[in-house]
Amino acid sequence: MPNVTANGIQIEYDTFGDSSFPALLLIAGNGAQLLFWDAEFCELLAKTGLFVIRFDNRDAGLSTKFDDAGVPDIMAAIRAAMEGKNVTAAYSLDDMADDCVGLLDALCIEKAHICGASMGGMIAQVVAYRHPQRVLSLTSVMSNTGNPDLPQGQPEAIAAVVAPPPTERKAYIEHNMNVWRKIWSPGFPFEENRAWTYLEKSYDRSYYPQGMARQNMAILSRGDRTASLSSIKAPTLVIHGSGDPLIPVEAGKDTARVIPGANLLIIDGMGHDLPKGAWPKIVTAISRHIKQANTIQQ
């Protein structure tokens, strides 16, 4: 896969579709590599007339790692955030949003449709209010506003996600299969083969749990983004699962409420993942949203 220098770091990326089509930048979640956006899913989006770009966030996959920053104490940071104290991070969501714009610069893309999932949704939101002139539309998937008053995720789901993974390959995969089962969509069959293959590829490509810890710190250090989100003017689609155990559906409703004019799509039975059974509905919704946004831009 190709890589570029952007915002002072190396970013690994991949593309699908014709580069003359409107660009759609997909932003992965906490600790996830570009592999999170399944190639088949990206191809489905590309077939709707889009130039789809997926990439590794900083501290994930094959993009620049921030080893010198050390490994933070996540649980201490979570406690501090819950107590309303400031959390210091090696970098911020603002920095990660600037990485996205830097990647667009490197690819000579003036404006793009921006879509992110989970932490990626947070980054996409920041891109939309920090760089509004670069955003044709925003799609925020299974994400939140950082509002501390919203319902929290299920304790067992949170504990599974933040637990340090084993270093040995098979143990790592088995550990994360358990994580996937905790956050999987209750209304869709568990895709064991797909999950196992994804985890094998992720481990072999880049086993790097400390990056996930630092990305978590970037989220915690930013806090409540509500005030900034209210300034977003890009056409916005919010997608959330009714059965999300990690970021409850109330967070999606809050996101759609805060961003002016946002449309909300709640997918019944979807959890904190993108089950194949939901792909047709998600792809159709994103494609329709982008076409409407393109019409507005014209």
Side-chain angles (χ1 to χ4, degrees), residues 17 21 69 79 86 88 103 107 146-147 164 179 181 208 220 223 239 263:
F21 291 162
R79 288 192 295 270
N86 290 331
T88 302
L103 175 57
L107 298 179
N147 181 352
V179 174
R181 288 189 176 93
Y208 196 70
L220 293 169
I239 301 175
N263 293 313

Side-chain angles (χ1 to χ4, degrees), residues 93 97 116-127 129 140-146 219 225 229 247:
L93 291 179
S118 195
M119 180 193 73
M122 303 174 198
I123 297 169
Q125 295 166 12
V126 177
V127 174
Y129 67 68
S140 178
V141 184
M142 56 188 179
S143 194
N144 64 25
T145 63
I219 296 171
R225 303 180 305 283
L229 293 176
I247 301 181

Side-chain angles (χ1 to χ4, degrees), residues 19 26 31 39 63 76 79 115 120 132 137 153 160 211 233 237 239 244 253 270 275 291:
S19 61
L26 300 177
S63 290
R79 288 192 295 270
C115 173
S137 75
K233 293 185 170 53
L237 171 65
I239 301 175
D244 193 327
K253 295 176 181 177
M270 190 172 89
K291 287 176 181 177

Side-chain angles (χ1 to χ4, degrees), residues 16-296:
F16 301 81
D18 191 325
S19 61
S20 68
F21 291 162
L24 171 63
L25 184 69
L26 300 177
I27 311 173
N30 186 17
Q33 304 177 43
L34 55 75
L35 299 174
F36 169 82
W37 301 105
D38 194 290
E40 184 182 347
F41 179 80
C42 294
E43 291 285 6
L44 289 173
L45 286 168
K47 287 177 181 177
T48 69
L50 295 169
F51 179 54
V52 180
I53 307 159
R54 61 178 184 171
F55 71 102
D56 290 327
N57 285 312
R58 60 170 62 199
D59 252 345
L62 304 181
S63 290
T64 294
K65 310 295 197 304
F66 286 72
D67 296 303
D68 292 345
V71 181
D73 185 337
I74 291 297
M75 296 313 297
I78 291 174
R79 288 192 295 270
M82 292 178 67
E83 294 169 3
K85 298 178 180 177
N86 290 331
V87 175
T88 302
Y91 47 80
S92 66
L93 291 179
D94 287 4
D95 294 319
M96 300 182 82
D98 292 351
D99 293 344
C100 297
V101 173
L103 175 57
L104 295 179
D105 287 340
L107 298 179
C108 299
I109 297 172
E110 183 181 353
K111 295 183 178 183
H113 300 277
I114 311 295
C115 173
S118 195
M119 180 193 73
M122 303 174 198
I123 297 169
Q125 295 166 12
V126 177
V127 174
Y129 67 68
R130 187 171 168 84
H131 302 280
Q133 72 282 5
R134 308 298 297 274
V135 179
L136 293 170
S137 75
L138 167 65
T139 302
S140 178
V141 184
M142 56 188 179
S143 194
N144 64 25
T145 63
N147 181 352
D149 296 327
L150 292 174
Q152 300 300 302
Q154 297 174 8
E156 58 270 28
I158 295 172
V161 169
V162 301
T167 57
E168 191 272 326
R169 186 177 188 270
K170 185 178 179 182
Y172 165 88
I173 294 169
E174 290 175 344
H175 166 87
N176 278 288
M177 286 291 287
N178 180 58
V179 174
W180 272 51
R181 288 189 176 93
K182 289 274 195 303
I183 64 176
W184 189 262
S185 298
F188 293 83
F190 182 64
E191 299 169 40
E192 186 157 357
N193 290 338
R194 178 182 164 218
W196 189 276
T197 300
Y198 166 79
L199 292 170
E200 284 182 325
K201 290 180 178 178
S202 295
Y203 183 94
D204 294 341
R205 186 170 181 264
S206 177
Y207 170 77
Y208 196 70
Q210 54 267 51
M212 179 176 180
R214 288 192 290 268
Q215 289 179 354
N216 249 321
M217 296 295 285
I219 296 171
L220 293 169
S221 68
R222 182 58 182 84
D224 191 352
R225 303 180 305 283
T226 300
S228 297
L229 293 176
S230 65
S231 71
I232 291 177
K233 293 185 170 53
T236 299
L237 171 65
V238 177
I239 301 175
H240 216 104
S242 67
D244 193 327
L246 193 63
I247 301 181
V249 68
E250 287 79 9
K253 295 176 181 177
D254 184 57
T255 305
R257 178 187 63 80
V258 167
I259 300 176
N263 293 313
L264 174 64
L265 171 63
I266 297 176
I267 298 181
D268 189 40
M270 190 172 89
H272 202 73
D273 60 281
L274 297 178
K276 278 196 170 185
W279 284 7
K281 185 172 288 188
I282 294 171
V283 169
T284 298
I286 293 175
S287 174
R288 183 182 297 122
H289 171 62
I290 286 175
K291 287 176 181 177
Q292 290 173 345
N294 286 337
T295 300
I296 292 171

